[in-house]
Amino acid sequence: MGALDGITVLSFNHFLSGPAAAQFLGDIGADVIAVEPLGGAFQRNWAVGNRFVDQTSVNHMTTGRNKRSIAVDLKSPEGLAAVRRLIARADVVMENFRPGTLDKLGLSEAAMRAINPRLIYAATTGYGGDGPYRDRPGQDVLLQAMSGLAAHTGNMESGPVAIGTVPIDHHAAALTVAGILAALYERERTGEGKRIEVNMLQAALDLQGESITAWMNGADRSGPRGRAGMANWFSPAPYGIYAVADGHVMISMSKPADLAEALNLPQLADFSEKDGFDKRGEISAMVAGGMAALTAAQALDRLEKAGVWHELVRDYDSLRDNPQVEHLGAFIDARTQGGSPMTLLSHPIRYDGELPEVRLTPQPLGGQTREVLAEVGLSQGEIDALIASGAVAQTEKMRG
């Protein structure tokens, strides 16, 4: 997939949302250059689950594909001058620092545009570039709390629940990609670059568009979460997760009467589709009792025969054995810098039936410092001097 062949992206990103967005652009052909501090970006040095494989953070594995790495001390005049050379030939600059961070280093948007007027500048922040919350830490679980996502997850009996992944970071990344692609398309028509702004607060709201819109427009509700096993406050019963003797089963959109025979609960046949909304708690409690008497195998068989949409609740260990996941090629088997096996998620979109190739696995810090600086006109002697001064760093590069 070479949709962005010839497009150069400078990624000053750290953590997750920005690096993930940059990786997506690299997957579809952009030359993404990760500009990192001499000690490496945050995602190299911190890992979820504190998991490193051969000193490679699983966070770097998550977002480091199809990027070249250059390590630069942006506080040194020589390092800053080298980065300005990169800006002069870039199409896109991305960053997800708190507002004003790059300004303090002499790399404000205005300073970059003075070097390259056609530049597309993409900033991903927690709460926006201005406003009363601009300087607050934009971290996923905090945004879950502020945006209502936690309050509307879980059930009324147990209270709010934080989602066990980081959906807001990933959605902010997708929105950043969409904004950059739109700006690149418009630049083709107008010749002018744009500023793209994505904030995690609105990303969190956007994730909940259906629920928030219904709530704000007077949908009937008895509370912000479901009751007695219901997955949410707005769907008709028995939409939710139900315990069986040896696990849990999710039941999706169905009418109460659909489960009467499957669960040996003839009284469910007396409930109408409207009752599914009006008597959610009562219906859900009955379904919970019927499901508890079954094993997972029995429940799946009976629900299948009744035509009820359902799925066994599984964990990550089941993904490798999922035949559809395998068919889609959702996992990539690769090697770390130290040669150990690592598993990556593949690009999530197919283009004419094909997945984009992995041109570069996650690279070592500064793995391409020398070649990137040579591409912007520095001689090998000048690069040697920069390395000797500590303004930039070069490690042995790895490909694959």
Side-chain angles (χ1 to χ4, degrees), residues 1 23-28 65-66 328-330 332 344-351 354-358:
M1 179 59 185
Q23 175 176 267
F24 193 105
L25 298 174
D27 285 350
I28 58 175
R65 179 177 67 234
N66 287 333
L328 293 171
I332 299 168
L344 311 176
L345 282 172
S346 68
H347 186 83
I349 301 175
R350 288 174 178 259
Y351 305 86
E354 300 294 330
L355 292 172
E357 68 173 317
V358 178

Side-chain angles (χ1 to χ4, degrees), residues 131-332:
Y133 291 175
R134 72 186 294 269
D135 294 323
R136 288 195 178 193
Q139 202 277 322
D140 196 286
V141 76
L142 302 178
L143 271 301
Q144 289 188 38
M146 180 180 288
S147 68
L149 185 56
H152 288 265
T153 304
N155 56 63
M156 293 300 293
E157 291 78 18
S158 64
V161 172
I163 294 175
T165 59
V166 284
I168 300 171
D169 270 305
H170 284 287
H171 190 50
L175 294 175
T176 300
V177 170
I180 289 171
L181 294 179
L184 284 169
Y185 182 77
E186 183 171 359
R187 194 182 69 175
E188 287 299 302
R189 296 187 292 112
T190 67
E192 297 179 358
K194 276 198 176 300
R195 177 184 177 88
I196 304 302
E197 296 183 64
V198 172
N199 68 79
M200 292 178 67
L201 177 55
Q202 284 186 284
L205 299 178
D206 190 60
L207 268 177
Q208 304 171 78
E210 179 185 52
S211 178
I212 290 175
T213 302
W215 186 278
M216 295 294 187
N217 287 279
D220 183 41
R221 73 267 188 174
S222 59
R225 296 177 298 282
R227 296 182 183 275
M230 288 288 293
N232 57 48
W233 64 271
F234 56 84
S235 293
Y239 187 99
I241 296 175
Y242 297 90
V244 292
D246 53 351
H248 294 83
V249 174
M250 178 73 79
I251 294 178
S252 183
M253 299 179 70
S254 58
K255 301 186 293 293
D258 295 339
L259 287 95
E261 183 176 350
L263 300 184
N264 195 27
L265 294 171
Q267 59 269 43
L268 285 174
D270 297 330
F271 290 98
S272 67
E273 288 189 60
K274 185 174 184 300
D275 289 333
F277 288 100
D278 298 340
K279 301 179 180 180
R280 293 184 183 100
E282 180 182 352
I283 294 169
S284 186
M286 292 175 63
V287 171
M291 292 288 285
L294 304 174
T295 65
Q298 290 170 331
L300 297 178
D301 179 64
R302 294 187 185 191
L303 294 173
E304 182 70 25
K305 289 176 179 177
V308 174
W309 293 359
H310 66 281
E311 182 56 68
L312 183 67
V313 176
R314 310 168 193 267
D315 65 14
Y316 294 155
D317 288 334
S318 72
L319 293 176
R320 280 289 198 180
D321 298 324
N322 185 309
Q324 189 64 27
V325 170
E326 181 180 5
H327 171 75
L328 293 171
F331 288 111
I332 299 168

